[in-house]
Amino acid sequence: MADIATRVYNHKWKIDPIVRSLLDTDFYKLLMCQSVFRNHPDTKVRFSLINRSTDIRLAELIDEGELRQQLDHIRTLRLTRGESTWLRGNTFYGKRQMFRPEFMEWFEELRLPPYTLEKRNGQYELTFEGRWPEVMMWEIPALSVLMELRSRAVLERLGKFELQVLYARAMTKLWEKIERLRGLEDVKVADFGTRRRHSFLWQDWCVQAMIEGLGTRFTGTSNCLIAMRHDIEAIGTNAHELPMVQAALAETDAELRRAPYKVLADWHEEHDGNLRIILPDTFGSRGFLENAPDWLAGWTGIRIDSGDPAEGAEAAIAWWTARGEDPTRKLIIFSDGLDVDKIVELHHRFAGRAKISFGWGTLLTNDFRGLVPGDGLAPFSLVCKAVSANGRPTVKLSDNPNKAMGPAGEIERYKRVFSVGAQAPMDVVV
Amino acid sequence: MADIATRVYNHKWKIDPIVRSLLDTDFYKLLMCQSVFRNHPDTKVRFSLINRSTDIRLAELIDEGELRQQLDHIRTLRLTRGESTWLRGNTFYGKRQMFRPEFMEWFEELRLPPYTLEKRNGQYELTFEGRWPEVMMWEIPALSVLMELRSRAVLERLGKFELQVLYARAMTKLWEKIERLRGLEDVKVADFGTRRRHSFLWQDWCVQAMIEGLGTRFTGTSNCLIAMRHDIEAIGTNAHELPMVQAALAETDAELRRAPYKVLADWHEEHDGNLRIILPDTFGSRGFLENAPDWLAGWTGIRIDSGDPAEGAEAAIAWWTARGEDPTRKLIIFSDGLDVDKIVELHHRFAGRAKISFGWGTLLTNDFRGLVPGDGLAPFSLVCKAVSANGRPTVKLSDNPNKAMGPAGEIERYKRVFSVGAQAPMDVVV
């Protein structure tokens, strides 16, 4: 029975929109946005797309007109009534009414602000400027759109069965990873792969495969829309953008030194339990932990997002122990460039010494490595970051100098202020 | 947009019928049936299902009720008007009106005759008795039904994503084979996999993948329904059942000795060109070729369906040469238990020495080896053969004693009559 209506409906779209909902974003963006909306509603920020994989010449792969259509489409989106109901009524991290009425009223009216798009050196310069709570909501959709348009550009050259076999191979690859994870008792893995996914539908498939394959060992997804649709947990706490912007706003070195803790003090006031997760690496984890106030040691856990993850976890365990905390009651979330080998290794090393959890990102939702000639679908390192706040440049150091961002002079100043010594550079794959 | 009507329609079927058309059969059955309909319309035959893989206990795997429902459903099928039009109007092997009006009128009225089903020793005894032209049409649907019910029995235990990954793996596996075949210039491959396919939909997928992947190197399918739907060539000539039944009807040893040539004399009268393909192995290829009348050497080609295929092809080339024929103008069709390695090997060995073509069967349409625990989807050796004609047992020797069929005494008699000496036993995988 041919479904004529569906066929006609599918063909009458002028474009095939990549982002179809304001909830197709990471949960921590919403938590952070609520915090920013309360504490810094009028701070002006600038976010920029940065392609760290300069050999992927996005402006040559992706048609500018198509990119503009996708971005323009995102600007037409508004929170639907059902989405709003879900945010207002659902339980997140065991808590009802996570989102306050004032924030929800604002969010219901939100449309994303304008963007600026230019081509330079084979890359797109895509920037967003305006009030922080609005501009920050561009990060994830902008990344998803670029990633998926790049996928489409490569997929366009394939025949129908080549396409089917491509996805067959990708499915097989993921399932083999899931089967390996199944072998780990009590492993906890969440999907953190929205921003650098191959495509929305593929991320959605990956999540469903994780639900069936891992059962309760799959703890949820960072993607709000997918969490809503499959009635699973939305996962995420906070990210570098909070200390980066806060630090950029500091007037003096002393204020700069206090900035990362000020961010967490605000967070502490707002959240408890599993939302109290330290992200220590924005300006170097070592100094951050050494100089941290005692109340931070009482937080639930830590997220290791750069540097050698085992070293980072050992440092956290040592720090808790030194501060009189029991590490076995603490949560360590690994979230940097994970794949199954690394997950298995870290699980074996740390299970029992702390509670362990994995935020599996790009190599969950975009492991198309080796699947087309020339490896044209391999994931790459695209980010969208706050680059200035109220006209002042932001800086990120992280525990891997290859991930550092900001003007050279400012990087040096931050290194001095935060007493960052020698760091081991590591390749940034994704 | 939910397609409610399609959903309701799909759910109102009492069963999911495996065979949905009388054309879901091998093309050579129709060619042979027309011949039988003309020459032996009243010969009574008995066909039986024989599972050569006795370790696969079909009666324990497959529910008898479900099997009966499927077989009963086949008995409700009649040639549709469009199917009849296709048979009457289409060009087969370059010829219009391959099927004569008398045959088509008979076929349009055909319903398959009753079956007898019993369980014995964990196997099904499924037999069909009646007039040869009717009974012979049971062979392929009976095999497809048993094969697919076995697949379903195993698939029933799998979850939704396990299923998807299973097919993903099978697709990847087939595509890798196709990619290897692509490396062979001028290879000619046809699908001969109806009878032992994993399922109808899977065979249909395989054929479409071959169309896209091999282009003109894919020469067609033995399955009439699939050939019709995708507008590709229907492939096939004749099979062992003709000489087996003809031989069983022989009154004397002398008549028996002449029987296989009598079959081909009838065929010679009816067909020319690429339909004149010798199938020499029914009672041993060596003796068959040695004693063959000269006109047979003028036929277009030979099909090698048992024994060592390279030896069989060498023997054919030597035979043609001895009879003053040019082997490079002859066609050798390999059709026994092929997979890509064997195809590549035979292609390299014989390309240029004769025209070469491959009828790729079970390991095209049912290579699910190694894809589920316990290998429960691996193909197995199920056949459905004429076991008697007008009350006399049939015999098949073939070039592999493990494929021999018939009462022991009769096998000995046939071996004597056809001067079959020592034969090398070979494993029968599929």
Side-chain angles (χ1 to χ4, degrees), chain B residues 116-312:
Chain B
T116 313
L117 180 66
E118 282 175 56
K119 282 185 183 184
R120 192 161 305 164
N121 297 325
Q123 298 295 342
Y124 282 114
E125 297 207 335
L126 176 59
T127 55
F128 311 94
E129 278 188 270
R131 281 194 295 267
W132 190 6
E134 294 171 11
V135 167
M136 68 188 290
M137 295 301 285
W138 261 116
E139 177 184 349
I140 310 297
L143 290 172
S144 315
V145 159
L146 265 298
M147 293 305 291
E148 187 161 345
L149 283 180
R150 186 274 205 141
S151 300
R152 290 184 185 179
V154 176
L155 296 172
E156 209 160 58
R157 305 170 207 149
L158 303 187
K160 183 175 166 193
F161 281 75
E162 281 180 312
L163 280 172
Q164 209 168 357
V165 170
L166 172 76
Y167 284 105
R169 285 178 168 152
M171 286 175 181
T172 301
K173 204 171 179 184
L174 176 59
W175 196 254
E176 277 159 12
K177 293 182 184 187
I178 290 175
E179 284 177 336
R180 285 191 57 204
L181 291 178
R182 257 185 191 164
L184 299 182
E185 213 187 331
D186 294 331
V187 73
K188 296 284 175 206
V189 185
D191 158 37
F192 276 22
T194 300
R195 68 190 57 216
R196 281 193 284 277
R197 67 193 181 198
H198 168 80
S199 73
F200 173 77
L201 288 177
W202 179 246
Q203 182 184 15
D204 194 46
W205 191 91
C206 293
V207 167
Q208 292 180 67
M210 296 279 277
I211 293 171
E212 181 177 308
L214 290 185
T216 55
R217 282 172 282 195
F218 177 59
T219 55
T221 172
S222 64
N223 187 295
C224 300
L225 183 64
I226 293 175
M228 181 177 81
R229 289 214 183 143
H230 300 298
D231 211 6
I232 55 178
E233 293 296 321
I235 304 276
T237 56
N238 58 64
H240 302 104
E241 100 177 70
L242 295 181
M244 283 168 72
V245 171
Q246 194 84 318
L249 297 176
E251 300 283 349
T252 64
D253 284 0
E255 221 177 301
L256 174 59
R257 198 172 291 116
R258 283 194 301 272
Y261 306 112
K262 174 71 174 67
V263 167
L264 297 188
D266 290 347
W267 198 262
H268 188 91
E269 191 201 312
E270 206 165 347
H271 300 294
D272 49 25
N274 282 340
L275 285 173
R276 287 186 177 168
I277 301 296
I278 304 167
L279 180 65
D281 68 329
T282 315
F283 308 121
S285 296
R286 201 178 46 78
F288 179 89
L289 292 177
E290 270 172 20
N291 302 317
D294 276 331
W295 56 264
L296 253 190
W299 273 33
T300 304
I302 197 165
R303 180 154 75 91
I304 311 289
D305 199 47
S306 63
D308 178 78
E311 271 177 35

Side-chain angles (χ1 to χ4, degrees), chain A residues 171 174-175 178 182 191 200-216 218 220-221 223 225-232 364-365, chain B residues 159-165:
Chain A
M171 286 175 181
L174 176 59
W175 196 255
I178 290 174
R182 259 186 191 163
D191 157 37
F200 173 77
L201 288 177
W202 178 247
Q203 183 185 16
D204 195 46
W205 192 90
C206 293
V207 166
Q208 292 179 68
M210 295 280 277
I211 293 171
E212 181 176 307
L214 290 186
T216 55
F218 177 59
T221 172
N223 188 295
L225 184 64
I226 294 175
M228 182 177 81
R229 290 214 182 142
H230 299 299
D231 211 4
I232 55 178
L364 166 60
T365 61
Chain B
K160 183 175 166 193
F161 281 75
E162 281 180 312
L163 280 172
Q164 209 168 357
V165 170

Side-chain angles (χ1 to χ4, degrees), chain B residues 294-295 297-299 317 319-328 330:
Chain B
D294 276 331
W295 56 264
W299 273 33
I317 289 172
W319 178 70
W320 281 315
T321 307
R323 303 274 178 131
E325 299 282 335
D326 176 3
T328 65
K330 298 292 186 181

Side-chain angles (χ1 to χ4, degrees), chain B residues 335-351:
Chain B
S335 64
D336 183 30
L338 294 174
D339 204 359
V340 169
D341 283 341
K342 186 54 82 179
I343 293 175
V344 170
E345 177 194 323
L346 292 168
H347 179 83
H348 285 312
R349 177 154 172 183
F350 292 102

